[in-house]
Amino acid sequence: MGQRSFDPSRGHRGAGKPEKAEDVVARARKAQAEREKSYREQSLKIHPWICARCGREFTHRNVHELTVHHKDGNHENNPPDGSNWENLCIYCHDNEHRRHLDYLEAKGIRVGDEEGPGFTHNPFAKLKGLIEKKEP
């Protein structure tokens, strides 16, 4: 790998042209996947391969079903000692997040994007005009 230069005269990557939203999202998802992989690998080394809720044990064959849950909900809080992580099976992990959403909804806090804008593109918008018979 080559060395990076922090010379201010070189300019920034992508300077001069705006980034597409898809590129920004793709880069953010890639960075998130790298972060997750690093703390997941650390957690699997530190903690036993047992779900902290239901006690299900995991082996190399099914360890992909073991997830890392952040106890405080902050995915950026990844102390090297693993104190903010607990290993949960996919079912207990989903249940944990659903319980949190139920709690918020019970307090009247809307979750998700139910109130967001609807679809803006209608692929069938011109269909009616195409199938109507044209008068001679």
Side-chain angles (χ1 to χ4, degrees):
M1 224 189 244
Q3 286 185 320
R4 292 186 177 186
S5 172
F6 294 100
D7 182 3
S9 65
R10 285 193 53 200
H12 300 309
R13 179 175 31 153
K17 56 182 173 180
E19 284 188 278
K20 293 182 180 177
E22 298 86 19
D23 295 339
V24 174
V25 171
R27 197 170 63 250
R29 285 186 177 151
K30 183 178 178 185
Q32 179 183 7
E34 289 173 7
R35 274 194 317 273
E36 287 174 355
K37 184 176 182 185
S38 65
Y39 69 70
R40 182 176 191 276
E41 296 302 320
Q42 291 174 24
S43 181
L44 291 176
K45 288 177 185 174
I46 295 171
H47 300 109
W49 291 6
I50 299 172
C51 176
R53 298 289 158 80
C54 69
R56 179 179 170 199
E57 295 183 23
F58 292 83
T59 64
H60 285 284
R61 281 183 56 198
N62 63 354
V63 73
H64 63 276
E65 296 178 3
L66 190 61
T67 63
V68 178
H69 176 68
H70 288 82
K71 295 177 184 178
D72 68 358
N74 180 358
H75 290 201
E76 301 299 322
N77 182 10
N78 296 306
D81 65 352
S83 59
N84 189 38
W85 306 324
E86 60 183 348
N87 291 342
L88 300 177
C89 71
I90 55 175
Y91 306 107
C92 291
H93 194 217
D94 286 348
N95 181 268
E96 181 65 27
H97 284 276
R98 182 69 249 174
R99 287 181 355 164
H100 179 69
L101 293 175
D102 289 344
Y103 169 78
L104 293 175
E105 289 171 352
K107 293 185 125 205
I109 300 171
R110 297 205 72 125
V111 293
D113 57 351
E114 298 94 4
E115 296 295 317
F119 293 111
T120 58
H121 175 69
N122 181 358
F124 305 111
K126 297 181 181 179
L127 184 61
K128 186 176 182 181
L130 293 173
I131 59 175
E132 286 181 356
K133 291 188 177 185
K134 295 183 181 179
E135 307 243 353

